[in-house]
Amino acid sequence: MLSHARIWAAIDRLAERYGLSASGLARKAGLDATSFNKSKRQGPDGRDRWPSTESVAKILAATGASLDEFMRLIEDTERAGRPKVPLIGMAQAGAGRLFNEDGMPTGGPGWEEIEFPEFSNERVFALEVQGDSMRPLYREGDIIIVSPSASVRRGDRVVVRTKDGEVMAKELKRKTQRSLELLSLNPEHPDRVLPLSDVDWMARVIWARQ
């Protein structure tokens, strides 16, 4: 799959292969020296900026590399560049002060890592489902990838941690300036209404491995 991150990683690797920096490759191809700067790969609104086909054609001509060679760099990046994200259990998520103010894990003894299947601009980590509170959608042992930086809307599935260390997975019904209204995924578990002042963080479920 051609993703934004893989295309840019392939351009970086092409530059390295020919003994150039990203800016050196751009100059050699007759482009502005800042064309491939990391700061140019996202717009001011955070949206991805993709290199144009013209830019790719120019760097291939400048280096003498073939399109097949460039595609192999993309494939190599896919195989070698899958990011790893922290994997923790739901019980661990509720224990101690293991998260920073942004809702991301700060590390812990014996934590594992897993490969995340796609590149993402979001901050993410993985949780292993424990218990039956998320049935029938997710079962014990399933892995969910959650992001505390992703925007959350009504109907999204979320994981919420309270300041008392309780961790729950629910569906967001409503968020007001004062409270969160959460629907239970498992009808045998109650819905919840939490004062925002009691919420440590909320993270959207963006992927699951079952």
Side-chain angles (χ1 to χ4, degrees):
M1 176 177 148
L2 294 179
S3 73
H4 175 266
R6 290 171 188 165
I7 291 288
W8 281 113
I11 289 175
D12 289 338
R13 295 187 68 184
L14 183 70
E16 292 173 4
R17 176 170 291 189
Y18 289 90
L20 299 165
S21 63
S23 58
L25 178 62
R27 285 193 297 269
K28 187 176 180 68
L31 303 170
D32 186 278
T34 65
S35 296
F36 299 153
N37 284 5
K38 293 189 185 299
S39 61
K40 295 291 186 71
R41 300 180 187 187
Q42 274 85 34
D45 59 357
R47 293 185 180 182
D48 292 339
R49 282 180 172 169
W50 293 67
S52 68
T53 53
E54 181 182 8
S55 296
V56 173
K58 286 184 176 181
I59 62 176
L60 295 181
T63 58
S66 66
L67 181 59
D68 285 343
E69 181 180 350
F70 185 67
M71 293 304 295
R72 284 196 297 272
L73 289 175
I74 295 175
E75 292 171 0
D76 290 344
T77 299
E78 177 179 356
R79 286 192 292 267
R82 286 190 173 186
K84 292 183 182 293
V85 298
L87 169 64
I88 55 180
M90 295 284 280
Q92 285 178 295
R97 298 298 303 171
L98 301 179
F99 293 85
N100 62 25
E101 61 183 11
D102 295 321
M104 285 296 294
T106 56
W111 286 19
E112 300 179 15
E113 290 184 322
I114 64 169
E115 288 186 347
F116 183 43
E118 296 295 340
F119 287 86
S120 173
N121 290 327
E122 305 289 355
R123 298 190 299 274
V124 298
F125 62 95
L127 285 171
E128 183 176 357
V129 175
Q130 296 167 338
D132 65 352
S133 66
M134 301 178 74
R135 290 172 64 96
L137 191 61
Y138 307 121
R139 301 176 184 273
E140 185 162 1
D142 290 347
I143 303 297
I144 57 174
I145 301 289
V146 302
S147 172
S149 65
S151 59
V152 180
R153 295 175 293 184
R154 180 181 298 185
D156 284 343
R157 298 177 183 98
V158 296
V159 174
V160 176
R161 185 185 192 272
T162 70
K163 292 180 179 178
D164 291 334
E166 183 182 4
V167 178
M168 66 195 79
K170 304 284 185 182
E171 180 182 310
L172 179 65
K173 179 181 179 181
R174 187 183 180 205
K175 179 181 179 182
T176 71
Q177 293 183 342
R178 294 185 177 181
S179 66
L180 283 181
E181 297 181 25
L182 302 169
L183 298 176
S184 178
L185 301 177
N186 185 336
E188 295 182 2
H189 288 251
D191 298 338
R192 298 287 296 273
V193 178
L194 300 173
L196 279 183
S197 59
D198 290 349
V199 174
D200 191 11
W201 51 257
M202 176 170 62
R204 194 179 88 200
V205 178
I206 61 175
W207 183 80
R209 185 180 75 189
Q210 297 175 297

